Amino acid sequence: MPVARRVLGESHELTLTMRWNYARALYQDDDATLGDLCEAVTTLEESERTARRVFGRAHPLTVDIASCLLDVYKILRARETPSPEGSA
């Protein structure tokens, strides 16, 4: 990704797509650590902001990135919520 960012630029669609896929790989891993999830959030927040500025809110890539960001937020909330007593 560093080469794509340097050669194509931060706001190129391919760069944003690569960053989106990287973040998805991080948070969709069943063994994702809290650090992985935080990195996914940071990557998706930056990518979503750039995609919105460059392509607009309705662009499919912007929508996909925003959707994944909501998914990561849900996963983080689920990790923060203690499980009820007596449940395994």
Side-chain angles (χ1 to χ4, degrees):
M1 276 191 314
V3 173
R5 292 169 88 170
R6 186 181 75 246
V7 173
L8 301 172
E10 291 287 332
S11 56
H12 193 280
E13 187 170 7
L14 183 56
T15 304
L16 290 167
T17 300
M18 290 172 67
R19 295 189 78 209
W20 170 51
N21 284 319
Y22 171 69
R24 287 175 52 211
L26 285 173
Y27 85 83
Q28 290 178 346
D29 181 358
D30 290 335
D31 296 323
T33 65
L34 184 57
D36 292 336
L37 295 176
C38 290
E39 184 174 353
V41 166
T42 300
T43 301
L44 289 168
E45 286 176 340
E46 292 171 357
S47 299
E48 194 267 341
R49 214 175 6 259
T50 302
R52 193 175 6 144
R53 178 179 46 82
V54 174
F55 302 118
R57 291 183 185 274
H59 190 277
L61 182 57
T62 307
V63 171
D64 288 341
I65 293 170
S67 175
C68 284
L69 190 53
L70 292 176
D71 290 344
V72 180
Y73 289 151
K74 288 178 191 173
I75 292 169
L76 283 170
R77 272 194 305 274
R79 280 203 180 183
E80 291 172 356
T81 306
S83 54
E85 287 187 40
S87 65

